[in-house]
Amino acid sequence: MDDNSLKPKSFWKKPEGKTGMLFMGLLGAGGLYGLYKVLPFLIQIAENTLYLGVLLAVLGALIYMVLDPKMRNLIFYMYKSFMRWITGIFIQIDPIGILKSYIDDLKNNLRKMNKQIAVLKGQMKRLQQIIYDNKKSINSNLKLASAAKEKDKKGIMILKSRKAGRLQESNLKLDGLYKKMEVLYRVLIKMYENSEILLEDIEDQVMVKEQERKAIRASHSAMKSAMNIISGNNDKKEMFDRALEVIAEDVSMKIGEMERFMDMSTNFMDSIDLQNGIFEEEGLELLEKWEKEGVSLILGNQKDLLVHDQHSVDLDAPIVKTKTQNNQYSDLFNFED
């Protein structure tokens, strides 16, 4: 898996980060207004030596908090935790909860994709039959044209020859369409297989990591996390949640790609009218555009192989899910205690 695709989001790009920016803006505006209101009082305090000393001590403490990196990290940690709590009241930001919702999305998409594969398979078999019937008709018309030529029936010969020519031209177009449908079929099958593996990986991670996170939270109090931040050590609880967030973000992008491809393939199939032997160029253009796009998150380097594969597909072959030895997300949790 590409390390860049699994790079965790910064705090400010997360939902709680947006809440934090709004809160910080309001806090800043309130601070300026408060300063405006208390400025006369501060001037009065500064005239008193004792009050001035207290004010300088407070100011010194604030400067220390700003300049000391460990103290800054602690304050920022507390701020992030507070913003996360506020945001969690309104929207789902818990990575385990998000992953559980993605499991439902994946199961639903796999059902839709399975139906889509069945519809495409039916269209391809119908198209095979049309091409086969056209070939029989071509041979029949050529034989009739040859017989008419021998009997010097020029009109019939021309009529049958033209009919055979039109059917031959139609078959050339239909053959091209069938090859595109083969690409679509191969991609749908492989995407279905890989998505089944992805679903299995996520279900495994959620089941195992939910228990692990409960154990970590039970042994890592808020005070212990704060002390880890002050001492400059990595907080295991925070690192664990970040790893889960990375998985959720990666799965989100893969589900998005899966749904976009299904929409594209539906539009492609809807543009084909086998009953009348016609199809719209727009549907082909959509598929060709997808073929030229970048690497697929779900298919990886298999995409180019599938697009350029010249072998005929076996429409009767079953969908096989390849078993994987390791969960694709396991390495994310290989961090020190």
Side-chain angles (χ1 to χ4, degrees), residues 86-188:
I86 291 178
T87 307
I89 296 173
F90 304 101
I91 60 174
Q92 175 66 276
I93 60 173
D94 174 54
I96 290 287
I98 292 172
L99 284 171
K100 285 181 177 179
S101 69
Y102 287 160
I103 288 173
D104 293 335
D105 289 342
L106 267 173
K107 288 179 178 178
N108 186 44
N109 285 343
L110 282 169
R111 284 192 292 269
K112 290 179 180 178
M113 187 172 282
N114 192 40
K115 290 180 182 178
Q116 202 168 48
I117 289 170
V119 171
L120 177 59
K121 185 187 295 186
Q123 284 188 325
M124 291 175 72
K125 288 189 173 183
R126 286 179 61 199
L127 184 55
Q128 282 179 332
Q129 188 62 45
I130 290 171
I131 293 172
Y132 175 75
D133 290 343
N134 282 350
K135 286 179 180 179
K136 285 178 62 178
S137 186
I138 288 169
N139 291 332
S140 176
N141 279 284
L142 288 176
K143 287 179 182 178
L144 290 172
S146 178
K149 182 179 180 182
E150 291 177 359
K151 296 177 180 179
D152 200 26
K153 295 181 179 180
K154 190 174 180 181
I156 295 177
M157 181 194 74
I158 293 173
L159 181 65
K160 297 301 179 181
S161 296
R162 285 177 177 175
K163 188 173 182 179
R166 285 192 297 269
L167 288 171
Q168 184 66 41
E169 185 180 349
S170 175
N171 262 10
L172 286 173
K173 291 181 180 179
L174 293 177
D175 276 330
L177 174 61
Y178 187 81
K179 284 182 172 59
K180 287 297 181 182
M181 292 172 82
E182 283 188 313
V183 172
L184 184 60
Y185 185 80
R186 278 193 294 265
V187 172
L188 278 172

Side-chain angles (χ1 to χ4, degrees), residues 29-56:
L32 290 174
Y33 180 76
L35 181 62
Y36 169 75
K37 286 293 186 181
V38 302
L39 189 59
F41 178 65
L42 291 176
I43 293 172
Q44 185 179 358
I45 289 178
E47 293 174 354
N48 185 300
T49 306
L50 178 61
Y51 286 162
L52 179 61
V54 173
L55 185 63
L56 289 174

Side-chain angles (χ1 to χ4, degrees), residues 4 16 23 34 55 61 66-67 78 84 114 137 161 167 174 178 183 190 199 214 252 254 281-282 294 299 319 329 336:
N4 292 329
E16 59 266 36
F23 186 80
L55 185 63
V66 171
L67 296 179
M78 294 169 64
R84 186 176 181 83
N114 192 40
S137 186
S161 296
L167 288 171
L174 293 177
Y178 187 81
V183 172
K190 183 55 66 177
L199 174 61
K214 286 179 181 178
S252 172
K254 287 176 178 175
E281 290 296 328
E282 184 180 354
L299 301 174
I319 299 175
Y329 297 116
E336 297 293 332

Side-chain angles (χ1 to χ4, degrees), residues 234-301:
N234 290 323
D235 182 52
K236 186 174 181 179
K237 173 180 168 294
E238 185 176 9
M239 292 177 68
F240 193 89
D241 283 347
R242 285 177 63 186
L244 288 172
E245 288 170 0
V246 169
I247 295 174
E249 180 67 19
D250 182 61
V251 173
S252 172
M253 291 188 292
K254 287 176 178 175
I255 289 176
E257 179 189 341
M258 187 180 182
E259 291 175 347
R260 286 193 300 274
F261 185 80
M262 285 196 296
D263 287 341
M264 184 276 296
S265 58
T266 298
N267 291 334
F268 172 79
M269 288 187 285
D270 287 346
S271 71
I272 300 170
D273 182 3
L274 294 180
Q275 188 70 31
N276 297 308
I278 59 174
F279 54 91
E280 297 177 11
E281 290 296 328
E282 184 180 354
L284 285 175
E285 289 172 2
L286 285 172
L287 182 57
E288 289 171 357
K289 180 182 177 183
W290 178 85
E291 291 175 3
K292 295 174 183 176
E293 288 176 352
V295 176
S296 164
L297 292 172
I298 298 177
L299 301 174
N301 56 10

